[in-house]
Amino acid sequence: MVTSDDIGKRVQDDAGRVGILCDVIEGYRDPTVRPDGRPVQAVAFLRPVGGGCEWLVPPGAVCLA
């Protein structure tokens, strides 16, 4: 599991994708879900090494690479 202390480090998620940890957001609400159904959750914001689309994943699904 990663924390905000790991921001800027190279990480790998459970799917095998490698990226750089940009942030750990504790109170994230998914904007694509209706407001009355949005759970508050923690997410890790990752940027792929070498560029590409960023992605969100639960912090528990990420480890240092």
Side-chain angles (χ1 to χ4, degrees), residues 1-2 14 42-44 57-63:
M1 182 167 144
V2 293
D14 284 351
V43 295
V57 64
V62 182
C63 63

Side-chain angles (χ1 to χ4, degrees), residues 1-52:
M1 182 167 144
V2 293
T3 67
S4 58
D5 293 334
D6 299 315
I7 291 174
K9 295 180 181 174
R10 187 181 175 109
V11 295
Q12 183 173 2
D13 69 9
D14 284 351
R17 297 176 292 188
V18 176
I20 303 297
L21 180 65
C22 293
D23 202 358
V24 176
I25 305 164
E26 295 297 331
Y28 179 77
R29 289 183 187 262
D30 187 344
T32 64
V33 177
R34 291 182 44 191
D36 58 346
R38 290 184 197 171
V40 176
Q41 57 191 353
V43 295
F45 179 71
L46 307 177
R47 177 178 45 88
V49 175

